[in-house]
């Protein structure tokens, strides 16, 4: 059985490209709201890329792995968004989420490039875990990386 992968907020497709190459994933899909990035991803990756806002069911099947990197902090209401993602996962599927850590606010000036698109939320490991558990997920692993450039 082939692994099915969906990257929600796939940007220019860099991560999709790497995962397809490294893991030999044949069924890869991506959703990207920004048209310029979605067009780039369509050129870069052999995958079904949709230029639209994410909603479960747009690909008409479920996935083994959902990836959501650097998106959740921009979502106005993250709990329904996470619950929506769960509808696209097969039973026993995995959701990988990456968000900036709340400490980034203190490690970087507010005019730093990572804040040019406003973040609505900042998460800590415990607040993100609590949100995921409230949405019905079980957190199996989490890590915090220091993002400061010293």
């Amino acid at each position: 059985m082939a692994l099915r992968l969906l990257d929600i907020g796939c940007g220019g497709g860099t991560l999709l490209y790497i995962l397809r190459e490294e893991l030999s994933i044949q069924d890869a899909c991506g959703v990207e709201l920004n048209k310029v990035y979605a067009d780039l991803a369509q050129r870069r990756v052999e995958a079904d890329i949709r230029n639209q806002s994410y909603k479960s069911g747009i690909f008409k099947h479920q996935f083994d792995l959902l990836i959501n990197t650097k998106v959740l902090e921009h979502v106005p209401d993250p709990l329904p968004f996470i619950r929506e993602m769960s509808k696209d996962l097969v039973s026993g599927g995995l959701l990988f989420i990456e968000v900036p850590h709340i400490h980034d606010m203190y490690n970087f000036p507010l005019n730093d490039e990572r804040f040019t698109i406003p973040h609505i939320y900042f998460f800590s490991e415990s607040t993100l875990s609590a949100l995921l558990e409230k949405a019905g997920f079980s957190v199996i692993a989490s890590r915090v990386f220091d993002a400061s450039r010293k």
Side-chain angles (χ1 to χ4, degrees), residues 108-128:
F108 299 96
L110 291 178
N111 64 350
D112 185 84
E113 63 190 14
R114 34 189 112 219
F115 303 119
T116 55
I117 299 174
H119 294 177
I120 299 169
Y121 292 100
F122 285 91
F123 298 97
S124 67
E125 188 174 7
S126 62
T127 59
L128 182 57

Side-chain angles (χ1 to χ4, degrees), residues 66-135:
L66 265 60
I67 296 175
N68 187 251
T69 60
K70 298 181 175 96
V71 171
L72 197 61
E73 65 273 16
H74 304 284
V75 174
D77 199 353
L79 182 59
F81 185 78
I82 292 171
R83 287 183 173 145
E84 193 71 18
M85 287 191 288
S86 72
K87 296 175 189 176
D88 269 340
L89 271 176
V90 299
S91 178
L94 297 175
L95 170 62
F96 176 87
I97 294 181
E98 177 189 2
V99 294
H101 195 276
I102 184 86
H103 288 226
D104 286 355
M105 277 184 54
Y106 306 107
N107 291 336
F108 299 96
L110 291 178
N111 64 350
D112 185 84
E113 63 190 14
R114 34 189 112 219
F115 303 119
T116 55
I117 299 174
H119 294 177
I120 299 169
Y121 292 100
F122 285 91
F123 298 97
S124 67
E125 188 174 7
S126 62
T127 59
L128 182 57
S129 292
L131 183 65
L132 288 164
E133 289 169 3
K134 188 172 184 177

